[in-house]
Amino acid sequence: MTPLQRYIAEEIATDHVDGLLSRREALRRLGLLGIGTAAATALIAACSENKQPISDAPVTSSEPATASAPPPGSENALPTEPITWAGPRGELQAAWAPAAEPRGGVLVIHENKGLNDYIRSVAGRFAGIGYSALAIDLLSAQGGTGTFADPAEATAALGQIPPEEAVANLKSGIDELQRRVPGKKIAAVGFCMGGGYVWRLLASDEPRLAAAVPFYGPTPDNPDFAGSKDVAVLGIYAAQDQRVNATEPVARAALEKAGLVFELVTEPDANHAFFNDTGERYNAAAAADAWRRVQEWFTKYVA
Protein backbone atom coordinates (compact mmCIF):
# COMPACT_ATOMS: atom_id res chain seq x y z
CA MET A 1 0.00 0.00 0.00
CA THR A 2 1.37 3.42 -0.98
CA PRO A 3 1.50 6.27 1.57
CA LEU A 4 -1.38 7.99 -0.27
CA GLN A 5 -3.52 4.85 -0.19
CA ARG A 6 -2.80 4.40 3.50
CA TYR A 7 -3.75 8.02 4.15
CA ILE A 8 -7.06 7.54 2.34
CA ALA A 9 -7.67 4.24 4.14
CA GLU A 10 -7.02 5.83 7.53
CA GLU A 11 -9.39 8.66 6.65
CA ILE A 12 -12.15 6.17 5.86
CA ALA A 13 -11.50 4.30 9.10
CA THR A 14 -11.47 7.54 11.08
CA ASP A 15 -14.77 8.60 9.50
CA HIS A 16 -16.26 5.36 10.81
CA VAL A 17 -14.77 5.86 14.27
CA ASP A 18 -16.22 9.39 14.33
CA GLY A 19 -19.66 8.07 13.41
CA LEU A 20 -19.74 9.52 9.89
CA LEU A 21 -19.79 6.13 8.14
CA SER A 22 -21.43 2.86 9.07
CA ARG A 23 -19.10 -0.10 9.56
CA ARG A 24 -20.54 -1.75 6.49
CA GLU A 25 -19.91 1.32 4.33
CA ALA A 26 -16.40 1.77 5.72
CA LEU A 27 -15.57 -1.85 4.92
CA ARG A 28 -17.00 -1.41 1.41
CA ARG A 29 -14.89 1.68 0.77
CA LEU A 30 -11.78 0.04 2.16
CA GLY A 31 -12.51 -2.92 -0.09
CA LEU A 32 -12.47 -0.61 -3.11
CA LEU A 33 -8.92 0.28 -2.08
CA GLY A 34 -8.04 -3.40 -2.18
CA ILE A 35 -8.05 -3.89 1.60
CA GLY A 36 -9.55 -7.17 2.77
CA THR A 37 -11.99 -7.51 5.65
CA ALA A 38 -9.40 -8.70 8.18
CA ALA A 39 -6.96 -5.89 7.38
CA ALA A 40 -9.78 -3.33 7.32
CA THR A 41 -11.03 -4.49 10.71
CA ALA A 42 -7.52 -4.18 12.14
CA LEU A 43 -7.15 -0.69 10.67
CA ILE A 44 -10.44 0.46 12.17
CA ALA A 45 -9.41 -0.94 15.55
CA ALA A 46 -6.06 0.86 15.35
CA CYS A 47 -7.70 4.19 14.46
CA SER A 48 -10.12 3.73 17.34
CA GLU A 49 -7.31 3.02 19.81
CA ASN A 50 -5.25 5.98 18.61
CA LYS A 51 -8.11 8.43 18.90
CA GLN A 52 -7.73 10.55 21.98
CA PRO A 53 -10.88 11.80 23.75
CA ILE A 54 -11.41 15.55 23.56
CA SER A 55 -13.02 16.91 26.69
CA ASP A 56 -13.42 20.55 25.77
CA ALA A 57 -14.85 20.26 22.26
CA PRO A 58 -17.16 17.94 20.32
CA VAL A 59 -15.78 15.61 17.68
CA THR A 60 -17.89 17.35 15.09
CA SER A 61 -18.67 21.02 14.90
CA SER A 62 -21.69 22.45 16.63
CA GLU A 63 -22.30 24.32 13.41
CA PRO A 64 -24.08 21.97 11.01
CA ALA A 65 -23.32 21.95 7.31
CA THR A 66 -26.75 23.51 6.77
CA ALA A 67 -25.97 26.54 8.93
CA SER A 68 -27.83 29.66 7.90
CA ALA A 69 -24.69 31.75 7.41
CA PRO A 70 -23.29 31.34 3.88
CA PRO A 71 -19.80 29.86 3.65
CA PRO A 72 -17.03 32.48 3.67
CA GLY A 73 -16.49 34.19 0.34
CA SER A 74 -19.64 32.82 -1.26
CA GLU A 75 -21.41 36.17 -1.32
CA ASN A 76 -19.11 37.41 -4.09
CA ALA A 77 -18.30 34.08 -5.73
CA LEU A 78 -18.11 33.98 -9.52
CA PRO A 79 -19.23 31.09 -11.73
CA THR A 80 -16.81 28.49 -13.06
CA GLU A 81 -16.60 27.00 -16.52
CA PRO A 82 -15.13 23.66 -17.61
CA ILE A 83 -11.85 23.87 -19.52
CA THR A 84 -9.34 21.42 -20.95
CA TRP A 85 -5.75 21.64 -22.11
CA ALA A 86 -2.97 19.29 -23.16
CA GLY A 87 -1.18 17.92 -20.13
CA PRO A 88 2.03 15.87 -19.97
CA ARG A 89 0.18 12.57 -20.43
CA GLY A 90 -3.03 13.62 -22.15
CA GLU A 91 -5.91 16.04 -21.84
CA LEU A 92 -6.46 17.63 -18.43
CA GLN A 93 -9.76 18.94 -17.13
CA ALA A 94 -10.48 21.74 -14.69
CA ALA A 95 -13.02 24.26 -13.49
CA TRP A 96 -11.91 27.78 -14.40
CA ALA A 97 -13.08 30.90 -12.56
CA PRO A 98 -11.66 34.08 -14.09
CA ALA A 99 -11.55 37.24 -11.99
CA ALA A 100 -12.63 40.45 -13.70
CA GLU A 101 -9.31 42.16 -12.92
CA PRO A 102 -7.04 39.41 -11.60
CA ARG A 103 -4.60 40.23 -8.83
CA GLY A 104 -3.04 36.78 -9.24
CA GLY A 105 -3.84 33.16 -10.00
CA VAL A 106 -4.69 30.24 -7.72
CA LEU A 107 -4.33 26.52 -8.37
CA VAL A 108 -7.04 24.77 -6.31
CA ILE A 109 -6.36 21.12 -5.46
CA HIS A 110 -9.34 19.02 -4.44
CA GLU A 111 -9.91 16.54 -1.62
CA ASN A 112 -9.90 12.78 -2.14
CA LYS A 113 -13.43 13.03 -3.51
CA GLY A 114 -12.29 14.64 -6.75
CA LEU A 115 -13.43 17.81 -8.49
CA ASN A 116 -16.96 18.35 -7.15
CA ASP A 117 -19.32 21.28 -6.67
CA TYR A 118 -17.74 22.22 -3.34
CA ILE A 119 -14.29 22.64 -4.91
CA ARG A 120 -15.82 24.51 -7.85
CA SER A 121 -17.40 26.88 -5.34
CA VAL A 122 -14.01 27.47 -3.71
CA ALA A 123 -12.53 28.40 -7.09
CA GLY A 124 -15.42 30.79 -7.62
CA ARG A 125 -14.83 32.36 -4.21
CA PHE A 126 -11.21 33.07 -5.05
CA ALA A 127 -12.26 34.67 -8.33
CA GLY A 128 -14.74 36.77 -6.37
CA ILE A 129 -11.91 38.34 -4.35
CA GLY A 130 -9.75 38.98 -7.38
CA TYR A 131 -7.73 35.80 -7.93
CA SER A 132 -8.45 33.83 -11.09
CA ALA A 133 -8.70 30.21 -10.00
CA LEU A 134 -8.14 26.90 -11.75
CA ALA A 135 -9.47 23.83 -9.94
CA ILE A 136 -7.78 20.88 -11.61
CA ASP A 137 -9.35 17.41 -11.85
CA LEU A 138 -6.71 14.83 -10.92
CA LEU A 139 -8.99 12.13 -12.35
CA SER A 140 -8.77 13.60 -15.87
CA ALA A 141 -6.98 10.53 -17.24
CA GLN A 142 -9.86 8.38 -15.97
CA GLY A 143 -12.42 10.58 -17.76
CA GLY A 144 -12.89 13.08 -14.93
CA THR A 145 -14.57 12.91 -11.55
CA GLY A 146 -17.99 13.19 -13.17
CA THR A 147 -17.63 9.76 -14.77
CA PHE A 148 -17.77 8.09 -11.33
CA ALA A 149 -21.33 7.52 -10.18
CA ASP A 150 -20.02 6.31 -6.81
CA PRO A 151 -17.86 8.92 -5.01
CA ALA A 152 -16.13 6.09 -3.14
CA GLU A 153 -14.92 4.69 -6.46
CA ALA A 154 -13.53 8.12 -7.36
CA THR A 155 -11.64 8.12 -4.06
CA ALA A 156 -10.26 4.65 -4.74
CA ALA A 157 -9.17 5.71 -8.24
CA LEU A 158 -7.33 8.71 -6.83
CA GLY A 159 -5.45 6.36 -4.54
CA GLN A 160 -4.18 4.45 -7.58
CA ILE A 161 -2.59 7.50 -9.23
CA PRO A 162 1.20 7.61 -8.73
CA PRO A 163 2.05 10.81 -6.83
CA GLU A 164 4.67 11.78 -9.41
CA GLU A 165 1.99 11.66 -12.12
CA ALA A 166 -0.34 13.87 -10.07
CA VAL A 167 2.45 16.35 -9.35
CA ALA A 168 3.30 16.53 -13.07
CA ASN A 169 -0.34 17.36 -13.80
CA LEU A 170 -0.35 20.00 -11.07
CA LYS A 171 2.72 21.60 -12.61
CA SER A 172 0.86 21.62 -15.93
CA GLY A 173 -1.96 23.40 -14.11
CA ILE A 174 0.53 26.09 -13.10
CA ASP A 175 1.57 26.34 -16.76
CA GLU A 176 -2.07 26.87 -17.74
CA LEU A 177 -2.58 29.47 -15.02
CA GLN A 178 0.46 31.41 -16.18
CA ARG A 179 -0.93 31.37 -19.70
CA ARG A 180 -4.31 32.66 -18.55
CA VAL A 181 -3.05 35.30 -16.09
CA PRO A 182 0.25 36.36 -17.65
CA GLY A 183 2.55 38.42 -15.48
CA LYS A 184 0.68 37.61 -12.26
CA LYS A 185 1.94 35.67 -9.26
CA ILE A 186 0.60 32.16 -8.66
CA ALA A 187 -0.52 30.45 -5.45
CA ALA A 188 -1.57 26.88 -4.70
CA VAL A 189 -4.32 25.95 -2.23
CA GLY A 190 -5.27 22.37 -1.41
CA PHE A 191 -7.62 20.58 0.95
CA CYS A 192 -7.16 17.21 2.67
CA MET A 193 -5.41 15.06 0.06
CA GLY A 194 -5.03 18.26 -1.96
CA GLY A 195 -3.26 19.84 0.99
CA GLY A 196 -0.87 16.93 0.93
CA TYR A 197 -0.25 17.60 -2.75
CA VAL A 198 0.57 21.23 -1.97
CA TRP A 199 3.36 19.91 0.25
CA ARG A 200 4.45 17.56 -2.53
CA LEU A 201 4.55 20.45 -5.00
CA LEU A 202 6.86 22.32 -2.64
CA ALA A 203 9.07 19.23 -2.40
CA SER A 204 9.23 18.86 -6.20
CA ASP A 205 11.54 21.84 -6.82
CA GLU A 206 8.66 24.03 -8.01
CA PRO A 207 10.02 27.61 -8.08
CA ARG A 208 7.01 29.36 -9.62
CA LEU A 209 4.72 29.58 -6.59
CA ALA A 210 4.56 32.84 -4.65
CA ALA A 211 2.30 31.39 -1.95
CA ALA A 212 1.08 27.98 -0.85
CA VAL A 213 -1.78 27.14 1.52
CA PRO A 214 -2.19 23.48 2.48
CA PHE A 215 -5.41 22.95 4.48
CA TYR A 216 -5.00 19.98 6.87
CA GLY A 217 -2.70 18.24 4.41
CA PRO A 218 -0.42 15.37 5.45
CA THR A 219 3.28 16.08 5.05
CA PRO A 220 5.16 13.58 2.87
CA ASP A 221 8.06 11.65 4.36
CA ASN A 222 11.38 13.51 4.57
CA PRO A 223 10.39 16.50 2.39
CA ASP A 224 12.97 18.93 1.04
CA PHE A 225 11.52 22.35 0.20
CA ALA A 226 14.80 23.99 -0.79
CA GLY A 227 13.79 24.12 -4.46
CA SER A 228 10.76 26.27 -3.65
CA LYS A 229 12.68 28.96 -1.83
CA ASP A 230 10.56 31.95 -2.92
CA VAL A 231 7.19 30.63 -1.71
CA ALA A 232 5.42 31.89 1.41
CA VAL A 233 3.60 29.02 3.12
CA LEU A 234 0.47 29.29 5.25
CA GLY A 235 -0.28 25.87 6.71
CA ILE A 236 -3.74 25.48 8.23
CA TYR A 237 -4.51 22.71 10.72
CA ALA A 238 -7.43 21.73 12.96
CA ALA A 239 -7.04 21.09 16.69
CA GLN A 240 -9.02 17.82 16.62
CA ASP A 241 -7.30 16.44 13.51
CA GLN A 242 -4.80 14.23 15.33
CA ARG A 243 -3.83 12.16 12.31
CA VAL A 244 -2.69 15.08 10.13
CA ASN A 245 -1.40 17.10 13.07
CA ALA A 246 1.10 14.33 13.76
CA THR A 247 2.87 15.35 10.53
CA GLU A 248 3.03 19.07 11.39
CA PRO A 249 6.46 18.87 13.09
CA VAL A 250 7.88 17.33 9.91
CA ALA A 251 6.51 20.23 7.86
CA ARG A 252 7.81 22.80 10.33
CA ALA A 253 11.30 21.32 10.37
CA ALA A 254 11.48 21.18 6.57
CA LEU A 255 10.23 24.76 6.23
CA GLU A 256 12.79 25.99 8.72
CA LYS A 257 15.60 24.04 7.07
CA ALA A 258 14.70 25.53 3.66
CA GLY A 259 14.53 29.03 5.14
CA LEU A 260 11.04 29.67 3.83
CA VAL A 261 8.64 32.33 5.02
CA PHE A 262 5.86 30.44 6.74
CA GLU A 263 3.12 30.41 9.35
CA LEU A 264 1.41 27.30 10.68
CA VAL A 265 -2.02 27.95 12.19
CA THR A 266 -4.18 25.53 14.15
CA GLU A 267 -7.88 26.36 14.31
CA PRO A 268 -9.30 25.57 17.79
CA ASP A 269 -12.41 23.40 18.24
CA ALA A 270 -12.18 22.31 14.59
CA ASN A 271 -11.70 18.93 12.96
CA HIS A 272 -10.36 17.65 9.66
CA ALA A 273 -12.17 19.10 6.61
CA PHE A 274 -13.67 21.94 8.66
CA PHE A 275 -13.67 24.25 5.61
CA ASN A 276 -15.95 21.97 3.58
CA ASP A 277 -19.43 23.44 4.04
CA THR A 278 -21.02 20.34 2.47
CA GLY A 279 -19.54 17.98 5.05
CA GLU A 280 -20.43 16.92 8.58
CA ARG A 281 -17.30 18.47 10.08
CA TYR A 282 -17.90 21.96 8.74
CA ASN A 283 -17.07 24.61 11.32
CA ALA A 284 -18.32 28.06 10.33
CA ALA A 285 -16.15 29.99 12.79
CA ALA A 286 -12.96 28.17 11.84
CA ALA A 287 -13.76 28.46 8.12
CA ALA A 288 -14.34 32.22 8.42
CA ASP A 289 -11.07 32.70 10.30
CA ALA A 290 -9.12 30.60 7.81
CA TRP A 291 -10.62 32.50 4.87
CA ARG A 292 -9.59 35.79 6.47
CA ARG A 293 -6.06 34.52 6.99
CA VAL A 294 -5.79 33.31 3.39
CA GLN A 295 -6.91 36.68 2.06
CA GLU A 296 -4.38 38.50 4.23
CA TRP A 297 -1.64 36.09 3.12
CA PHE A 298 -2.47 36.57 -0.56
CA THR A 299 -2.59 40.36 -0.17
CA LYS A 300 0.91 40.24 1.28
CA TYR A 301 2.53 37.66 -1.02
CA VAL A 302 0.48 37.33 -4.21
CA ALA A 303 -1.36 40.53 -5.11
Side-chain angles (χ1 to χ4, degrees):
M1 185 184 301
T2 68
L4 176 59
Q5 288 172 322
R6 180 159 189 86
Y7 170 76
I8 292 173
E10 289 175 347
E11 185 158 280
I12 292 169
T14 301
D15 282 350
H16 167 64
V17 171
D18 285 353
L20 304 182
L21 291 176
S22 69
R23 184 178 182 84
R24 180 176 181 178
E25 178 61 15
L27 291 175
R28 184 184 77 86
R29 295 189 183 194
L30 290 169
L32 290 173
L33 288 173
I35 301 173
T37 302
T41 299
L43 178 62
I44 289 172
C47 287
S48 180
E49 291 173 1
N50 292 336
K51 188 158 186 69
Q52 301 171 3
I54 299 170
S55 59
D56 59 348
V59 170
T60 55
S61 167
S62 59
E63 295 283 350
T66 56
S68 58
S74 61
E75 63 276 7
N76 296 314
L78 298 178
T80 65
E81 59 184 89
I83 63 168
T84 61
W85 71 94
R89 295 179 177 85
E91 184 178 84
L92 291 175
Q93 304 175 23
W96 168 242
E101 297 181 5
R103 304 164 65 187
V106 183
L107 179 69
V108 180
I109 311 174
H110 56 68
E111 302 173 329
N112 64 23
K113 299 175 179 63
L115 178 57
N116 53 22
D117 287 343
Y118 156 61
I119 294 297
R120 291 186 186 90
S121 78
V122 172
R125 293 182 227 174
F126 278 118
I129 59 172
Y131 300 94
S132 294
L134 186 152
I136 192 169
D137 191 340
L138 292 175
L139 286 169
S140 295
Q142 291 76 22
T145 302
T147 63
F148 292 86
D150 182 356
E153 292 185 355
T155 297
L158 282 164
Q160 297 295 326
I161 299 173
E164 58 272 17
E165 177 182 327
V167 169
N169 288 338
L170 294 173
K171 287 175 176 283
S172 181
I174 295 174
D175 293 338
E176 185 67 11
L177 264 174
Q178 289 185 320
R179 188 182 73 80
R180 290 174 177 267
V181 286
K184 300 297 183 180
K185 293 181 179 179
I186 303 297
V189 178
F191 303 88
C192 177
M193 181 197 77
Y197 271 121
V198 172
W199 291 122
R200 288 181 180 274
L201 261 181
L202 298 181
S204 71
D205 295 331
E206 175 51 70
R208 296 173 294 172
L209 293 176
V213 185
F215 272 75
Y216 30 79
T219 316
D221 295 336
N222 303 313
D224 182 355
F225 300 146
S228 302
K229 60 182 179 179
D230 295 324
V231 63
V233 180
L234 175 64
I236 297 178
Y237 295 85
Q240 298 175 20
D241 190 5
Q242 299 160 15
R243 187 166 55 98
V244 172
N245 292 350
T247 72
E248 188 263 11
V250 177
R252 183 181 296 274
L255 291 165
E256 291 175 346
K257 183 177 180 180
L260 299 186
V261 172
F262 74 91
E263 182 178 354
L264 303 181
V265 176
T266 299
E267 292 289 347
D269 301 333
N271 207 334
H272 187 70
F274 70 79
F275 196 80
N276 186 341
D277 57 284
T278 69
E280 295 89 341
R281 293 191 180 104
Y282 177 60
N283 185 307
D289 183 68
W291 182 247
R292 174 187 62 80
R293 290 177 183 272
V294 171
Q295 290 183 82
E296 291 175 352
W297 200 257
F298 279 13
T299 297
K300 190 171 183 179
Y301 297 107
V302 182

